Amino acid sequence: MIRRNENIPSLIKAMLISTPSAMIYLQIDDHPERIAINLTGPAILGRSDVALVDIDLSPFNGADKGVSRRHALLDRDQDTVTLMDLDSVGGTFLNGQWLQHLERRVLRNGDEIRMGALTARVYFG
């Protein structure tokens, strides 16, 4: 026998309006700990010494390694996560290939991102 549960409609409604997210982990150079990112929308990678950024790379010597204040953008569209260069001075590279200004590339597990001389591996979890 199926019982009617009054909470089901509100549960379904909550699931429909909740923002989907993707857990992404960045392994910066040789640092032992990964940066965990709960990507629910666009996130700017850069240095927070002056600019507003979502992922601050200053603690990883970002300035000395040529990371721009607003260097690159991570974004997601349903099940796809993309990387885009934000006209950085030091350039953004995905697996050794240079990204042109505002060019979007799809990220895959284990990809290497280079921003200036700072290197990060991307992992999905």
Side-chain angles (χ1 to χ4, degrees), residues 26-91:
L26 293 181
Q27 182 76 49
I28 307 291
D29 292 325
D30 294 328
H31 291 274
E33 293 184 26
R34 294 178 177 178
I35 299 173
I37 304 162
N38 187 8
L39 193 63
T40 57
I44 296 174
L45 296 154
R47 299 187 341 256
S48 70
D49 50 346
V50 175
L52 275 167
V53 296
D54 300 299
I55 301 155
D56 183 17
L57 300 173
S58 298
F60 304 97
N61 298 320
D64 294 336
K65 293 184 176 184
V67 175
S68 295
R69 288 178 180 90
R70 295 172 45 92
H71 198 103
L73 179 84
L74 291 174
D75 200 1
R76 76 180 298 264
D77 180 25
Q78 296 179 7
D79 294 333
T80 305
V81 177
T82 58
L83 174 69
M84 181 172 66
D85 180 73
L86 296 176
D87 202 23
S88 62
V89 174

Side-chain angles (χ1 to χ4, degrees), residues 11-25:
L11 253 175
I12 293 171
K13 188 185 289 184
M15 288 170 57
L16 290 174
I17 61 173
S18 67
T19 305
S21 65
M23 281 306 296
I24 300 173
Y25 300 92

Side-chain angles (χ1 to χ4, degrees), residues 89-109:
V89 174
T92 303
F93 297 80
L94 179 59
N95 298 322
Q97 295 184 345
W98 176 67
L99 275 70
Q100 295 182 22
H101 172 58
L102 300 180
E103 178 184 2
R104 285 186 187 269
R105 296 265 184 93
V106 174
L107 289 178
R108 291 179 175 73
N109 194 48

